[in-house]
Amino acid sequence: MEITDVFEFHYNESHDVNEAEQSFREAMKNDSNLKDLYRNWCDEMGYTERKGFKSYFINKAEGDNIWDSIFPNKEELDEYDFDSK
């Protein structure tokens, strides 16, 4: 189980970061393995346990915006075959 998959699950349930975080924290109260995964992920990524969940989504949103600025008309690339010459 990847911790980011758990993040995404909780986010997709509500589509609100604050509600998702609350749901995630409730899940950690009942699952010590999940809490350990989260603690290890925060340590690896350099986040505090208090801010790790929200930081993941902030960084994800910023990353999406970077690609949007590089490819503002990315729908034009949907049918493009990058492997053909």
Side-chain angles (χ1 to χ4, degrees), residues 61-74:
E62 287 174 356
D64 290 346
N65 289 337
I66 289 170
W67 287 110
D68 289 344
S69 67
I70 293 172
F71 299 109
N73 299 316
K74 65 183 174 197

Side-chain angles (χ1 to χ4, degrees), residues 6-7 9-11 13-30 34 38 49-50 53-54 57:
V6 177
F7 291 168
F9 170 79
H10 286 279
Y11 180 76
E13 289 293 307
S14 67
H15 296 289
D16 176 78
V17 172
N18 294 323
E19 289 178 21
E21 181 179 27
Q22 184 178 5
S23 173
F24 174 70
R25 293 202 181 279
E26 285 295 318
M28 281 198 307
K29 287 181 185 177
N30 300 319
L34 179 59
Y38 180 62
E49 290 179 42
R50 183 172 181 216
F53 186 89
K54 283 186 180 178
F57 287 101

